[in-house]
Amino acid sequence: MDRQEYFKNPVSKAEVPDYFDIVQNPMCWVTIEEKLDRHEYWDIEAIKKDIDLVLNNAILYNKPGTAFYKTASRIQNAAAPILEELRQGSNPSDAINIDPESSVGDLETPWELLEFLVSPEALQNEMDFILEDTPLASMFDFALPKMKPPPPPPTPPLPPPQKVKRDRKGKKKKAADAPDKSTSALLKPRRR
């Protein structure tokens, strides 16, 4: 409805210095969107109040006949029936025919629902697939999948191969049979 995005962003004091002298509570579409994202609106009346504030501020500040004034009036006329319809349909007790006086403070979960959540037999005829656990446990298995097992530990490095020693005649000796260097020096005859 605001195709030109006249009311999308907050009014800049640098661009319109006298705006804040006339408009005491500024509001724009971006602020409404941010409040929606932060879940600050608890009912239709609160959002309706902010939408009306955007449009009433534009009508208050701008002179009749300007594009801002005309756009605000057009949005106001178009939005009124939509917001009224939302307001009438926003009472959850009307939608499900509950007497608000009898249900105030009754936060106890009905026994039938609790039975349904813990009994796989309750769903047996209602579903085309087989549950391996209770409905409640199955919901948590789906939402919180099983963790992968940890990777196996790394294999230890192989020991270095033993060197095969040869005697002077070229025959192979086992490393265990080979004399130690410190003892071989003692066994050699000394030359003088």
Side-chain angles (χ1 to χ4, degrees), residues 5 19 34 37-38 40 48 62 68 72 87-88 107 109 126 131 140 158 167 170-171 173 176-177:
E5 298 183 344
Y19 183 81
E34 289 169 352
D37 289 343
R38 291 189 306 261
E40 290 185 25
K48 181 183 182 305
N62 296 289
F68 296 102
R87 190 188 65 74
Q88 288 178 356
L107 300 177
T109 306
E126 301 292 326
L131 288 178
F140 285 113
L158 295 174
D167 64 0
K171 293 183 182 177
K173 282 186 172 182
D177 294 343

Side-chain angles (χ1 to χ4, degrees), residues 40-49 90:
E40 290 185 25
Y41 293 115
W42 287 89
D43 57 20
I44 296 297
E45 289 303 315
I47 193 168
K48 181 183 182 305
K49 180 181 171 188
S90 69

Side-chain angles (χ1 to χ4, degrees), residues 109-184:
T109 306
W111 179 250
E112 294 80 20
L113 178 61
L114 291 174
E115 238 177 27
F116 175 77
L117 289 174
V118 296
S119 169
E121 293 83 25
L123 288 175
Q124 207 79 29
N125 298 330
E126 301 292 326
M127 298 171 39
D128 294 332
F129 56 91
I130 299 170
L131 288 178
E132 294 180 3
D133 209 341
T134 65
L136 184 63
S138 296
M139 286 190 307
F140 285 113
D141 285 344
F142 180 74
L144 304 169
K146 294 178 183 174
M147 300 297 291
K148 289 182 179 178
T155 56
L158 295 174
Q162 291 185 352
K163 293 183 180 179
V164 177
K165 294 194 174 187
R166 297 179 184 260
D167 64 0
R168 290 186 180 192
K169 295 181 182 175
K171 293 183 182 177
K172 292 181 183 178
K173 282 186 172 182
K174 292 183 184 175
D177 294 343
D180 188 16
K181 287 184 180 180
S182 60
T183 58
S184 64

Side-chain angles (χ1 to χ4, degrees), residues 58-96:
I59 290 170
L60 174 67
Y61 180 78
N62 296 289
K63 295 178 182 175
T66 63
F68 296 102
Y69 188 96
K70 288 179 184 179
T71 302
S73 297
R74 185 175 32 97
I75 294 172
Q76 201 169 38
N77 291 333
I82 296 168
L83 292 170
E84 182 59 30
E85 184 179 326
L86 285 174
R87 190 188 65 74
Q88 288 178 356
S90 69
N91 189 352
S93 64
D94 292 344
I96 54 176

